[in-house]
Amino acid sequence: MGDVLAGINSSWEFDTDSVLVRFERGIRTPKLFHVLGERRVPYEALRSVELAPGTRRGTVVLRAEPRPGADPLMEAAAGQLRETSDPYRLVLPAEHEPLAAAWISELSSVLGPRAQEPADRHLVAAPAAPLQFKAYDGKVSFDGRAVSFRWFWTGASSAKWKAGDQSFPVGELQGVRWRSPEVVGGHLRLIRRGEPEDREHPEADQDPAAVVFGLGYGLVHESLPLAASVLEAVRAAEPAPVLEAAAPVSRAADPAAAFRPAPADIADRIRHLGELHGAGLLTDEEFSAKKADLLAEL
């Protein structure tokens, strides 16, 4: 491909297997884009792409939609981002419409049927740790291995003071819930491993596993990247599913043999683990163990 589309607040450079999104750092550019800097999005991470008229006269909008589970940032955001802060939205001058339409046509032939299925792993990297931000009732820090809450005496409830400062290793977590600070009740809550999905949590200001946002606290460009980074680390730390032992059968007659991962897929997954390891999201021991597990699948 090799084309570049320069739009308002960002530009997209198309490669053979991915698009590199570079965000500008202008005064009017959303601060979330400043934090993201640039992102490489593999085409396999995309579900669809479309072109529509822009709200501004003389513009068109190129909008890509990631597959569910492919991007930890969008998974954490859960549809709460403003349209103008959507990293998959590119506003273009109308004269660029033919080039954008040509790219959409070419990409449509690449996506294939798997594009409509949820991704089984993150395909787009989250912002790298260490990350931190100030909530209304405490300071949140993530170093790649654990999330720490340090309470502020000016905002934390007595329940949180009684519980004391908190530290949650990634291995003890199963998820993150982020509620935008731009709506009432904004907060970040950590979901600990083994918690029932339908468990009723206490209010965020009373929960030692949650921090409360507020006016000027937990801003989107500060809290969402951290939530995405934690989510990526949690997913990477999840144990591999254990398959039930089956009666031995000949390899030729084994239907599961048809579903054995291809070496190229294993190589991609090891490369992704290497990126997480290089970003400090996996220890040397975790990286070696997970790499050995993947190699054992060959």
Side-chain angles (χ1 to χ4, degrees), residues 193-234:
R193 194 172 297 281
E195 287 187 10
E197 290 289 333
D198 57 352
R199 180 196 167 193
E200 185 174 344
H201 293 90
E203 293 294 326
D205 65 336
Q206 301 295 316
D207 187 354
V211 291
V212 176
F213 301 152
L215 187 61
Y217 294 95
L219 301 176
V220 171
H221 69 281
E222 298 174 340
S223 60
L224 180 57
L226 185 143
S229 185
V230 173
L231 184 59
E232 179 182 65
V234 168

Side-chain angles (χ1 to χ4, degrees), residues 8 43 45 83 94 130 138 143 167 187 192 221 223 239 242-243 297:
I8 299 174
Y43 296 140
E83 189 177 68
D143 62 3
S167 180
H187 64 269
R192 284 168 279 199
H221 69 281
S223 60
V242 178
L243 302 178
E297 295 182 26

Side-chain angles (χ1 to χ4, degrees), residues 125-164:
L131 296 165
Q132 62 181 25
F133 70 89
K134 288 184 179 179
Y136 173 74
D137 52 0
K139 180 180 179 180
V140 184
S141 303
F142 178 53
D143 62 3
R145 301 180 183 182
V147 184
S148 300
F149 294 165
R150 182 169 61 83
W151 307 123
F152 296 155
W153 68 270
T154 52
S157 65
S158 58
K160 291 183 176 180
W161 273 114
K162 183 177 181 180

Side-chain angles (χ1 to χ4, degrees), residues 47-127:
R47 181 176 185 177
S48 64
V49 62
E50 61 181 12
L51 194 62
T55 54
R56 287 190 193 179
R57 185 176 180 180
T59 63
V60 293
V61 176
L62 179 61
R63 172 72 169 89
E65 180 185 0
R67 293 167 60 189
D71 186 343
L73 185 83
M74 303 306 286
E75 184 177 349
Q80 299 176 77
L81 284 177
R82 291 185 180 184
E83 189 177 68
T84 53
S85 296
D86 184 350
Y88 287 87
R89 181 175 179 269
L90 178 65
V91 181
L92 296 163
E95 57 264 29
H96 290 174
E97 182 174 359
L99 182 57
W103 178 75
I104 290 176
S105 176
E106 190 168 352
L107 179 61
S108 297
S109 65
V110 175
L111 293 184
R114 289 188 63 188
Q116 302 306 312
E117 302 173 1
D120 59 1
R121 59 190 173 91
H122 289 144
L123 299 168
V124 183

Side-chain angles (χ1 to χ4, degrees), residues 18-36:
S18 61
V19 55
L20 178 62
V21 181
R22 291 190 173 95
F23 299 100
E24 296 180 357
R25 298 181 62 86
I27 297 176
R28 297 184 179 180
T29 305
K31 290 185 177 180
L32 177 61
F33 293 175
H34 292 196
V35 174
L36 296 178

